[in-house]
């Protein structure tokens, strides 16, 4: 399978971001990619709740999603929209952070709402309260991309290995981790966490990322770490995009999953135990 990762610097103006994604779909298809993956909050990266209320839409009305569905159909390529910031329907927090898998016919094959909320105090200048605006998901999601079983996740989920073990035990051979990772935590933890999840599960890990300093019309400006990566089931980095925006292509051999799990079958060695 040939995968293409879009590394981008999303702003809080969805039309500009959508132009970047459409160009990426065309480029990935021209390179013979089977699957394009985009980062977290592809449509709108904003630290301003008021800006989000003004520009975000529900899934049914989201222009980014509708356009990508048509582009995927026209170009005959699978697209994982790493996540869309969307207005939630029903009661609770106003927004959801949703990963959407679109197949080559333009149909939505899977949706995953981010489970783990990024509520942290990294430094005096850098704090986040994702749960103040976003409604967390409550279920793990498996999907299929051209016959390959894929487990979906988003960014901060990477710190919770139980999710990935459950996905692997459910049949996943590929794990997706679209992200908008903080530069400070990215330097310290990003590669280590991605490699750990690959090693623990014997899965490929594909992680398209936001990068750079993000233009904003309202609210605090954000920066992200970049370094979109593809990790093989043995924990080897087979692609690291660095910090420049662009489309990065890698070939993955899914037979390697079975080979690594045969050599180190830790997924079958788990045991129940009593807590301390």
């Amino acid at each position: 399978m040939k995968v293409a990762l879009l590394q981008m610097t999303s702003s809080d103006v969805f039309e500009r971001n959508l132009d970047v994604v459409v160009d990426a779909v065309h480029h990935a298809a021209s390179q013979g990619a089977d699957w394009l993956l985009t980062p977290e909050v592809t449509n709108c990266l904003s630290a301003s709740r008021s800006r989000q209320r003004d520009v975000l839409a529900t899934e049914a009305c989201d222009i980014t999603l509708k356009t990508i569905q048509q582009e995927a159909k026209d170009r005959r390529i699978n697209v994982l929209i790493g996540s869309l910031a969307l207005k939630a329907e029903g009661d609770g927090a106003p927004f959801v952070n949703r990963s959407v898998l679109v197949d080559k016919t333009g149909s939505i094959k899977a949706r995953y709402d981010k489970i783990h909320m990024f509520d942290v105090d990294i430094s005096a200048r850098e704090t986040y309260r994702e749960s103040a605006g976003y409604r967390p998901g409550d279920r793990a999601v498996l999907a299929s991309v051209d016959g390959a079983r894929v487990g979906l996740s988003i960014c901060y989920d990477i710190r919770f290995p139980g999710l990935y073990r459950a996905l692997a035990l459910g049949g996943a051979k590929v794990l997706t981790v679209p992200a908008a990772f903080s530069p400070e935590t990215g330097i310290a933890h990003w590669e280590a966490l991605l490699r750990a999840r690959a090693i623990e599960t014997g899965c490929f890990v594909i992680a398209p990322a936001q990068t750079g300093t993000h233009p904003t019309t309202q609210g605090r400006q954000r920066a992200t770490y970049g370094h979109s990566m593809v990790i093989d089931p043995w924990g080897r980095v087979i692609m690291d995009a660095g910090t420049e925006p662009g489309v990065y292509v890698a070939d993955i051999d899914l037979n390697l999953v079975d080979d690594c799990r045969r050599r180190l079958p830790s997924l079958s060695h788990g045991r129940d135990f009593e807590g301390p």
Side-chain angles (χ1 to χ4, degrees):
M1 177 181 285
K2 181 174 284 191
V3 298
L5 283 69
L6 171 59
Q7 183 159 278
M8 65 186 295
T9 309
S10 290
S11 71
D12 62 355
V13 179
F14 80 85
E15 294 93 343
R16 297 176 190 169
N17 303 327
L18 182 53
D19 287 343
V20 173
V21 178
V22 169
D23 287 346
V25 172
H26 297 176
H27 181 75
S30 73
Q31 296 298 305
D34 304 291
W35 189 14
L36 172 70
L37 300 93
T38 76
E40 184 181 20
V41 288
T42 289
N43 60 329
C44 178
L45 195 154
S46 174
S48 168
R49 298 294 183 224
S50 62
R51 176 65 178 170
Q52 291 171 322
R53 283 191 292 270
D54 288 343
V55 301
L56 298 185
T58 61
E59 180 184 304
C61 298
D62 187 73
I63 295 172
T64 298
L65 176 57
K66 292 181 182 298
T67 302
I68 292 173
Q69 286 183 266
Q70 187 61 52
E71 291 290 340
K73 180 179 179 180
D74 291 344
R75 302 287 169 162
R76 300 294 299 171
I77 188 171
N78 301 290
V79 179
L80 178 78
I81 309 172
S83 85
L84 295 168
L86 297 169
K87 284 184 176 175
E89 297 175 338
D91 298 329
F95 311 117
V96 292
N97 192 349
R98 180 170 296 163
S99 193
V100 182
L101 179 63
V102 178
D103 72 8
K104 294 176 179 178
T105 72
S107 300
I108 295 175
K109 301 300 291 183
R111 299 169 177 84
Y112 166 74
D113 287 355
K114 187 177 183 180
I115 292 173
H116 300 99
M117 297 287 95
F118 192 48
D119 291 354
V120 301
D121 299 298
I122 296 171
S123 68
R125 294 174 301 169
E126 193 173 4
T127 64
Y128 301 91
R129 291 292 180 271
E130 191 171 20
S131 65
Y134 287 86
R135 181 189 305 170
D138 58 9
R139 66 183 184 93
V141 174
L142 282 166
S144 180
V145 177
D146 291 350
R149 294 293 281 167
V150 176
L152 306 185
S153 72
I154 300 172
C155 200
Y156 191 52
D157 286 332
I158 194 65
R159 296 183 182 275
F160 301 87
L163 172 62
Y164 298 92
R165 184 171 182 85
L167 290 168
L169 289 171
K173 291 190 174 184
V174 178
L175 303 169
T176 59
V177 193
F181 231 71
S182 153
E184 187 169 347
T185 58
I187 291 170
H189 302 151
W190 174 243
E191 181 179 327
L193 288 167
L194 294 175
R195 293 182 67 195
R197 299 299 87 85
I199 293 165
E200 291 163 353
T201 62
C203 288
F204 277 96
V205 172
I206 305 177
Q210 295 279 356
T211 191
T213 301
H214 297 267
T216 183
T217 62
Q218 190 174 322
R220 173 171 58 93
Q221 194 170 55
R222 282 189 59 184
T224 52
Y225 180 62
H227 292 276
S228 299
M229 288 191 181
V230 179
I231 314 288
D232 81 5
W234 202 248
R236 294 170 292 214
V237 178
I238 61 174
M239 196 277 289
D240 179 343
T243 58
E244 289 299 312
V247 177
Y248 297 84
V249 178
D251 290 301
I252 63 173
D253 180 1
L254 294 174
N255 293 319
L256 188 58
V257 174
D258 295 331
D259 179 62
C260 289
R261 290 179 178 176
R262 176 186 57 79
R263 295 163 65 192
L264 191 60
S266 61
L267 276 179
S268 63
H269 289 167
R271 292 177 56 84
D272 293 331
F273 55 88
E274 292 186 11

